[in-house]
């Protein structure tokens, strides 16, 4: 079946690194995404990784993908208070399955000064 | 700013009513997706259109319908509204099937 799991909460201190983890079940996923949602706002696309890649780095963000274990992580270096938000992991199903996104429950990141 | 525009931002109505949510995709994007975000169900895919044609359906109730017009904007119609339909409804768009989906700010629907 299609399922994406994330831990619900993460609390870090300003300046530390944050690591948000995600597991997914569908091995036919084509892309995996990270979205950020601030209170009262929409979903902001942070970064994404193609399923045949292991790692992608984009400024303070590093995405690691372990396809064998179906595990995805998002590392935020030098976490700032402005990074406090809910982070959603999403897998994109294959075109034959509609290409829809399956989202995790979201991880609420709290950054303490 | 994602470039996806949703109107209205907020909608308050009563049970049994019908509402229409509107979405303008990013310039050039042919695919439009609708999602529902609620506290108990999280983010759920409802339906997708590509260049005016329905391409995929998710957990969309029969009371809900959508369409994409020739100018590529899309509307989601919700009828016979129930209290449980209260949620944040997102529209997303992408250039094609393998391109990332960019989300609008959502329409918050409150049923009283």
């Amino acid at each position: 079946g299609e399922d994406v799991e994330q831990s619900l909460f993460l609390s870090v201190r300003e300046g530390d690194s944050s690591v948000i983890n995600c597991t997914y079940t569908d091995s036919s996923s084509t892309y995996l995404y990270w979205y950020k949602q601030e209170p009262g706002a929409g979903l902001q696309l942070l970064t994404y990784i193609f399923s045949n890649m292991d790692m992608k780095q984009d400024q303070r963000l590093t995405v690691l993908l372990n396809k064998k274990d179906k595990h995805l992580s998002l590392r935020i270096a030098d976490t700032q208070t402005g990074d406090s938000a809910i982070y959603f992991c999403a897998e994109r199903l294959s075109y034959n399955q509609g290409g829809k996104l399956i989202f995790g429950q979201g991880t609420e990141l709290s950054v303490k000064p | 700013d994602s470039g996806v525009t949703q109107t209205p931002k907020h909608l308050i109505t009563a049970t049994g009513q019908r509402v229409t949510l509107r979405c303008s995709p990013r310039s050039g994007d042919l695919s439009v997706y609708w999602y529902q975000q609620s506290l108990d169900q999280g983010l759920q895919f409802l339906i997708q259109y590509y260049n005016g044609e329905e391409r995929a359906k998710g957990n969309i109730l029969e009371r809900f319908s959508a369409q994409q017009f020739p100018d590529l904007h899309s509307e989601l119609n919700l009828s016979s509204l129930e209290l449980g339909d209260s949620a944040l409804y997102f529209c997303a768009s992408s250039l094609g099937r393998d391109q990332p989906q960019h989300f609008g700010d959502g329409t918050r629907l409150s049923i009283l």
Side-chain angles (χ1 to χ4, degrees):
Chain A
E2 309 150 358
D3 196 19
V4 177
E5 296 282 338
Q6 297 177 241
S7 52
L8 295 181
F9 300 100
L10 176 65
S11 180
V12 300
R13 292 230 170 257
E14 193 173 21
D16 288 349
S17 290
S18 307
V19 179
I20 303 172
N21 295 300
C22 168
T23 57
Y24 61 98
T25 56
D26 199 306
S27 57
S28 65
S29 298
T30 55
Y31 288 89
L32 295 131
Y33 298 86
W34 285 102
Y35 286 88
K36 175 183 179 183
Q37 187 177 31
E38 296 182 71
L43 293 165
Q44 176 194 352
L45 177 65
L46 283 180
T47 186
Y48 61 98
I49 188 167
F50 187 49
S51 58
N52 69 354
M53 296 171 63
D54 299 324
M55 186 183 92
K56 181 178 180 181
Q57 186 150 6
D58 185 359
Q59 299 182 334
R60 292 190 299 123
L61 305 178
T62 303
V63 179
L64 294 177
L65 174 60
N66 181 328
K67 195 170 182 182
K68 174 174 167 291
D69 294 338
K70 298 190 181 69
H71 182 267
L72 182 75
S73 68
L74 174 70
R75 179 177 179 269
I76 306 173
D78 187 25
T79 315
Q80 303 297 307
T81 54
D83 293 324
S84 293
I86 299 177
Y87 290 80
F88 290 93
C89 164
E91 62 170 337
R92 182 176 183 141
L93 301 186
S94 66
Y95 183 70
N96 290 339
Q97 295 172 287
K100 62 184 179 184
L101 294 180
I102 306 296
F103 285 89
Q105 314 94 302
T107 299
E108 184 175 346
L109 175 64
S110 173
V111 183
K112 301 188 186 314
Chain B
D1 181 11
S2 68
V4 179
T5 304
Q6 288 188 249
T7 56
K9 290 193 183 310
H10 302 279
L11 202 47
I12 302 173
T13 189
T15 54
Q17 296 298 305
R18 172 189 168 94
V19 296
T20 297
L21 313 184
R22 183 189 167 100
C23 169
S24 294
R26 292 190 319 160
S27 177
D29 284 359
L30 299 176
S31 282
V32 169
Y33 307 77
W34 286 97
Y35 292 84
Q36 179 195 59
Q37 184 179 34
S38 62
L39 283 174
D40 54 346
Q41 297 288 327
L43 270 158
Q44 299 274 320
F45 168 74
L46 294 178
I47 197 164
Q48 179 209 353
Y49 283 83
Y50 177 81
N51 204 20
E53 292 188 7
E54 182 186 305
R55 280 298 172 91
K57 248 182 176 177
N59 301 323
I60 187 165
L61 299 171
E62 284 192 13
R63 300 184 285 110
F64 296 1
S65 65
Q67 53 185 327
Q68 185 180 27
F69 294 87
D71 67 351
L72 301 177
H73 92 270
S74 178
E75 292 181 356
L76 179 67
N77 300 295
L78 315 177
S79 61
S80 302
L81 287 167
E82 301 175 359
L83 292 175
D85 298 328
S86 294
L88 193 50
Y89 291 84
F90 284 111
C91 168
S93 74
S94 69
L95 181 59
R97 69 187 195 194
D98 289 332
Q99 302 301 313
Q101 295 177 27
H102 296 266
F103 283 72
D105 287 340
T107 293
R108 184 169 295 281
L109 176 64
S110 299
I111 313 299
L112 302 180

